[in-house]
Every structure is written in structure tokens, then in C-alpha cells.
């Protein structure tokens, strides 16, 4: 299928899963490693939210496209020396995992624009090689974000360990749903649980996701 057929198919699957779950779900097109032309093609079909893993790659696409209607999400790990650029140029940071990033992000967010939407990334499966905070650290991180006037705490993000066993994936999604509900009880404005990718986004939506991050199902194999 070409990109337009892929996009329509994914949108239909997301919409059907969201209807079954009884909630709205946002599709983030993971455009990492894809050229700006591929982003432009999906934008022409109506896609607005795009996710990038690397700050410089995302900034280059923003400059080339220069489309104020697009919404840019950083979904990869954030290095301290890139916090200023993310705060200045992205709409969402989905991968906050340590408190020391909060103050640089807050200070660098320009006045006169909406606060930077922030999701706390949780290492839900305790993988040594994966970014994300431990579940026990969520509370302190959330409090720090809430105290920063130029940041908006929106919820949680996770990338559960890939597992062919659907029950293991369901269990990881269920743990994230429980953590999300706890955070939502403690903090007003929390409304986003970002989990689920090309291979399992329907399962994630059924388990509580309000945002899914889909790459290969939209764009095909990575370049």
C-alpha cells in the first residue's frame, strides 16, 4: 500500500479501537528516520501530530516544512544539552525521566506560547537498557513539573518490552493504566496515557491508551 492507503487503514483501526474502548485516541505518526517529504504527504491527508526521536532531526524537518499547523512530539530520550531546543521548538515532550531536566525546560520555554506539554516516561518493565523513571519516582517528577509554570503535566508514556506473549504485553499496559489513574487522581489536567505502537496499538487502546505512536504501519520500513 502507498502512504495514503496506509494512513487510511491505520486511522480506521485506531477509530474502531477507540470506539470499542469508549474514549478519544490521538494518533502520533512516528516520523523518525523519514524525510520531510513523507511528513508532508501525511500532513496533506490530515495528520497533525508527528513524533521524533532525535532533536536535531526534528528541528530540520520543522524548518523544511514550516507548517504552523503541525504538532511536534519528542518521543526519544532527552539529553540535558538539548533541553533548551526542545522547550523552544516542540509542542510535547513525551520522555521526561529525571528531575534535573525540569528547570532547564521551564526556563527555556518562550513567553507568549502555550506551556510545553509533558509526559513522564516510565520504565514499566524495569529494563536496564531502556529510558524512563521507575514507577516509584513518578510522584516526585510530577510534583516538579506541576511547580514549573511553563510546563503542563499531561500524563505518562511507556514503551513496554516487546513480547510475543500477548498476556505479558497486556500486563504491562495494565500496570501503566493503574499508574496513570493514580496520577490523574492526584493532579488536575492529567489526561494522556501514551502507549502502543505499530504492532500493538489496538491492544494498548483497549487497555487504556489515549495516545498511540505509530511508525512502520504508516510509513513502511525505516529508511
Amino acid at each position: 500500500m502507498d502512504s495514503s492507503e496506509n494512513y487510511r487503514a491505520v486511522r480506521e483501526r485506531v477509530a474502531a479501537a477507540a470506539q470499542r474502548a469508549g474514549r478519544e485516541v490521538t494518533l502520533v505518526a512516528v516520523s523518525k528516520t523519514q524525510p520531510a517529504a513523507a511528513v508532508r504527504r501525511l500532513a496533506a491527508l490530515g495528520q497533525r501530530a508527528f513524533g521524533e526521536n532525535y532533536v536535531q532531526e526534528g528541528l530540520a524537518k520543522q524548518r523544511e516544512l514550516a507548517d504552523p499547523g503541525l504538532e511536534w512530539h519528542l518521543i526519544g530520550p532527552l539529553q540535558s544539552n538539548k533541553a533548551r531546543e526542545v522547550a523552544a521548538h516542540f509542542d510535547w515532550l513525551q520522555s521526561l525521566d529525571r528531575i534535573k531536566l525540569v528547570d532547564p525546560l521551564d526556563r527555556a520555554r518562550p513567553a507568549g506560547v502555550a506551556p510545553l506539554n509533558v509526559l513522564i516516561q516510565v520504565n514499566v518493565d524495569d529494563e536496564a537498557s531502556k529510558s524512563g523513571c521507575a514507577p516509584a519516582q513518578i510522584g516526585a517528577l510530577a510534583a516538579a513539573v506541576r511547580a514549573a509554570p511553563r510546563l503542563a503535566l499531561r500524563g505518562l508514556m511507556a514503551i513496554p518490552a516487546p513480547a510475543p506473549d500477548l498476556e505479558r504485553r497486556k500486563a504491562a499496559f495494565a500496570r501503566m493504566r493503574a499508574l496513570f489513574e493514580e496520577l490523574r487522581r492526584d493532579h488536575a489536567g492529567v489526561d494522556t496515557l501514551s502507549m502502543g505502537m505499530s504492532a500493538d496499538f489496538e491492544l494498548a487502546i483497549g487497555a487504556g491508551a489515549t495516545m498511540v505512536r505509530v511508525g512502520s504501519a504508516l510509513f513502511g520500513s525505516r529508511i
Side-chain angles (χ1 to χ4, degrees):
M1 291 191 292
D2 64 22
S3 59
S4 61
E5 292 174 334
N6 287 345
Y7 181 66
R8 280 191 283 270
V10 169
R11 290 292 307 184
E12 288 173 3
R13 290 170 61 193
V14 169
Q19 185 175 29
R20 290 193 298 270
R23 80 178 72 86
E24 293 186 5
V25 176
T26 299
L27 170 63
V28 176
V30 178
S31 47
K32 63 179 182 180
T33 76
Q34 299 295 329
V39 174
R40 186 180 290 112
R41 285 193 294 271
L42 281 198
L45 297 172
Q47 179 62 24
R48 303 259 69 70
F50 292 89
E52 293 287 332
N53 264 39
Y54 302 104
V55 175
Q56 295 307 315
E57 182 183 345
L59 292 178
K61 289 173 190 173
Q62 291 178 35
R63 288 191 294 269
E64 184 171 345
L65 295 166
D67 185 339
L70 300 185
E71 182 179 276
W72 294 95
H73 296 234
L74 185 72
I75 60 177
L78 175 60
Q79 298 174 337
S80 298
N81 64 350
K82 300 295 184 183
R84 177 175 294 276
E85 291 172 301
V86 170
H89 299 289
F90 282 77
D91 303 292
W92 286 73
L93 170 63
Q94 295 206 23
S95 53
L96 182 73
D97 61 359
R98 54 203 189 279
I99 283 180
K100 74 175 187 177
L101 293 171
V102 173
D103 185 59
L105 287 165
D106 183 54
R107 286 188 285 107
R109 186 67 173 173
V113 301
L116 176 67
N117 296 296
V118 173
L119 301 181
I120 296 170
Q121 182 175 353
V122 183
N123 189 342
V124 67
D125 290 315
D126 194 25
E127 293 181 89
S129 63
K130 189 164 287 181
S131 300
C133 72
Q137 298 172 315
I138 294 172
L141 260 173
V145 175
R146 285 298 304 272
R150 303 303 305 150
L151 307 181
L153 177 66
R154 298 294 298 273
L156 302 178
M157 183 271 261
I159 308 172
D165 180 357
L166 286 182
E167 292 306 314
R168 287 183 58 189
R169 273 194 254 179
K170 284 181 181 178
F173 289 149
R175 289 195 296 275
M176 283 303 301
R177 173 71 178 268
L179 292 169
F180 172 66
E181 294 297 347
E182 182 178 351
L183 184 68
R184 190 158 63 168
R185 285 194 297 269
D186 293 341
H187 296 283
V190 168
D191 58 5
T192 303
L193 177 57
S194 175
M195 60 184 188
M197 298 184 288
S198 289
D200 58 13
F201 66 82
E202 288 156 310
L203 186 67
I205 292 170
T210 68
M211 180 178 285
V212 294
R213 309 177 307 275
V214 179
S216 59
L218 290 170
F219 295 104
S221 301
R222 295 179 189 175
I223 293 174

